[in-house]
C-alpha cells in the first residue's frame, strides 16, 4: 500500500467517500493486496496498547481509519481484467442501486471533496456522472476522453466516450479522472462487453454503450489532482501534502528550499537570458518539478 506522507493512498479515497456520506465501502482487491483488508480491520491489540499508554491522539488516528458507522466489504477480482471487470465483480453486493467508483491512484485535493461535489449534482440530475478535467491532447492515451454539449455550470451532457485514444483520434481534451457515480443500468452494459480473451473490460466502453439508453453527464470537478499511478504525480503529491502537513511543513519546507536552490538558481540563470518576466514562473516550476 503506497503511502502519501502518513496515510496509504487508499485511505484518502475512503475518507473522501465517507465525507460524501458513503457508509458501505466495497474494495475490489486482487493478488497481493491482502494488506488493504488488514489496514481497515479493527486493531484491538494496538488500540489497547495506546489506551494503556495514554496516547490519546494516536488512538484517535487508529480509530479514525474506519469510522464505526462504515462497513467494509472485500471482493477479490480473480484476474486483472480491467476496471469494467472490477466493477462487475461488485455487482452482487451493489444490487439495483446507484453507486460511486473511486480510483485511489487519483488523489484529489479539494475544499469540497470531489465525490461530495458529484453527489450534489447527482441529487439534482438523478443520472450517471463521470468526473473530467482538461488534459493536454498529447496525454490522451492515458485517459478515457469524452465529448458532450455544455449543459450547466461545469456539467456536460455526454455524447461520446473513448478509452485511451491516440492524440489525433481524441474527440476532445476532456479526460476522465477516477471518480464515477453510476446508475445500476451500467451492469447490463458491462455484462454485454465482449473483450477478447485476457483483454481488459473497459468501463468507458460500457458507458459508451449506456449512452444509447440513458443520459450520462460529465462533471468538470473543482480541485487539484495528482496522478499517483505515475512516478511524477506520486512525487508531486508527496511534496504537496508534506508542505501542508502541520508537523512537517516547516522542517520539510526548509529542507526543500535548500535542496531545490541549485535547481531554482539554474532555472533563474536560464530565464535571465529570456527576460525577467519569465524568471519567476520558470523558477517556480523548477521547484515544483
Ligand atoms: C482508468 C480509466 C480511464 C480513466 C483513468 C483515470 O484508466 O480506464 O478511462 O481516464 O482511469 O485515472 P487507468 O488509469 O486505470 O489505466
Amino acid at each position: 500500500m503506497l503511502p502519501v506522507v502518513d496515510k496509504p493512498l487508499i485511505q484518502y479515497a475512503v475518507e473522501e467517500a465517507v465525507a460524501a456520506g458513503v457508509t458501505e465501502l466495497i474494495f475490489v482487491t486482487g493478488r497481493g493486496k491482502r494488506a488493504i483488508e488488514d489496514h481497515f480491520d479493527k486493531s484491538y491489540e494496538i488500540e489497547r496498547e495506546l489506551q494503556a499508554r495514554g496516547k490519546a491522539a494516536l488512538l484517535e488516528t487508529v480509530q479514525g481509519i474506519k469510522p464505526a458507522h462504515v462497513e467494509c466489504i472485500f471482493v477479490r477480482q480473480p484476474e486483472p481484467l480491467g476496471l469494467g471487470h472490477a466493477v462487475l465483480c461488485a455487482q452482487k453486493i451493489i444490487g439495483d442501486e446507484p453507486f460511486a467508483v473511486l480510483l485511489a491512484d487519483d488523489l484529489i485535493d479539494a475544499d469540497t471533496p470531489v465525490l461530495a461535489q458529484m453527489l450534489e449534482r447527482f441529487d439534482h440530475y438523478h443520472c450517471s456522472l463521470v468526473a473530467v478535467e482538461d488534459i493536454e491532447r498529447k496525454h490522451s492515451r492515458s485517459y478515457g476522453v469524452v465529448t458532450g454539449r455544455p449543459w450547466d455550470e461545469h456539467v456536460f451532457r455526454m455524447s461520446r466516450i473513448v478509452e485511451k485514444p491516440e492524440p489525433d483520434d481524441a474527440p476532445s481534451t476532456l479526460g476522465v479522472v477516477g471518480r464515477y457515480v453510476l446508475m445500476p443500468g451500467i451492469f447490463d452494459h458491462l455484462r454485454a462487453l465482449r473483450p477478447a480473451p485476457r483483454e481488459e473490460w473497459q468501463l468507458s466502453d460500457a458507458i459508451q454503450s449506456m449512452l444509447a439508453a440513458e443520459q450520462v453527464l460529465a462533471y468538470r470537478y473543482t480541485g487539484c489532482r495528482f496522478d499517483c499511478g505515475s512516478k511524477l504525480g506520486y512525487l508531486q503529491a508527496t511534496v504537496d501534502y508534506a508542505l501542508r502537513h502541520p508537523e512537517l511543513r516547516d522542517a520539510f519546507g526548509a529542507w526543500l528550499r535548500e535542496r531545490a536552490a541549485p535547481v531554482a538558481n539554474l532555472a533563474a540563470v536560464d530565464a535571465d537570458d529570456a527576460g525577467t518576466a519569465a524568471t519567476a514562473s520558470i523558477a517556480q516550476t523548477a521547484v515544483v518539478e
Side-chain angles (χ1 to χ4, degrees):
M1 281 194 301
L2 213 53
V4 167
V5 184
D6 56 0
K7 282 187 259 186
L9 260 177
I10 194 136
Q11 179 75 36
Y12 291 93
V14 165
E15 288 175 11
E16 183 181 326
V18 172
V22 172
T23 53
E24 205 171 77
L25 297 166
I26 304 167
F27 297 81
V28 181
T29 67
R31 284 177 76 83
K33 294 197 178 162
R34 302 270 288 264
I36 296 175
E37 249 167 282
D38 292 339
H39 174 76
F40 290 102
D41 208 357
K42 195 167 167 62
S43 329
Y44 291 103
E45 302 81 2
I46 296 176
E47 286 186 27
R48 216 177 304 127
E49 195 67 27
L50 291 174
Q51 208 142 24
R53 293 183 186 200
K55 307 242 175 195
L58 267 179
L59 181 63
E60 202 180 316
T61 307
V62 170
Q63 287 174 336
I65 290 176
K66 185 194 80 70
H69 70 284
V70 173
E71 189 186 356
C72 293
I73 301 164
F74 298 88
V75 180
R76 239 169 128 88
Q77 185 183 22
E79 281 179 275
L81 290 177
L83 178 57
H85 184 263
V87 171
L88 206 46
C89 288
Q91 181 186 4
K92 281 206 181 105
I93 303 161
I94 295 168
D96 199 23
E97 300 282 334
F99 61 99
V101 177
L102 292 93
L103 306 184
D105 272 358
D106 281 333
L107 176 60
I108 310 180
D109 178 45
D111 289 341
T112 303
V114 175
L115 189 61
Q117 296 177 30
M118 293 174 80
L119 291 184
E120 205 183 305
R121 268 75 188 179
F122 179 79
D123 285 344
H124 184 71
Y125 292 107
H126 300 285
C127 68
S128 300
L129 286 143
V130 173
V132 293
E133 68 177 26
D134 297 299
I135 59 162
E136 286 186 59
R137 183 169 282 276
K138 64 178 181 205
H139 293 147
S140 64
R141 281 187 214 93
S142 306
Y143 296 89
V145 177
V146 310
T147 35
R149 235 171 346 119
W151 192 247
D152 200 346
E153 217 190 339
H154 303 299
V155 176
F156 300 80
R157 203 179 160 149
M158 200 189 289
S159 53
R160 195 169 159 219
I161 178 167
V162 192
E163 180 69 7
K164 304 196 173 113
E166 290 298 316
D168 285 346
D169 302 331
S172 81
T173 49
L174 273 184
V176 174
V177 304
R179 301 291 182 276
Y180 307 76
V181 176
L182 296 169
M183 296 300 275
I186 192 71
F187 290 122
D188 295 337
H189 301 278
L190 278 169
R191 275 196 311 270
L193 294 178
R194 290 282 169 269
R198 315 211 69 78
E199 286 288 308
E200 294 201 346
W201 298 50
Q202 299 297 353
L203 183 56
S204 296
D205 293 346
I207 294 174
Q208 172 64 32
S209 155
M210 186 158 83
L211 282 173
E214 48 185 285
Q215 174 168 284
V216 181
L217 301 175
Y219 169 63
R220 190 191 259 135
Y221 71 92
T222 306
C224 175
R225 163 179 168 265
F226 298 94
D227 172 11
C228 294
S230 77
K231 287 178 202 152
L232 179 62
Y234 177 67
L235 280 175
Q236 287 169 333
T238 303
V239 171
D240 193 89
Y241 276 65
L243 287 175
R244 285 186 283 124
H245 191 287
E247 285 163 31
L248 293 171
R249 64 177 163 228
D250 293 344
F252 181 66
W255 176 84
L256 187 63
R257 256 193 304 278
E258 203 176 298
R259 182 67 188 80
V263 185
N265 287 341
L266 255 185
V269 170
D270 285 352
D272 269 349
D273 299 337
T276 354
T279 310
S281 72
I282 291 178
Q284 268 170 18
T285 309
V287 173
V288 173
E289 286 180 358

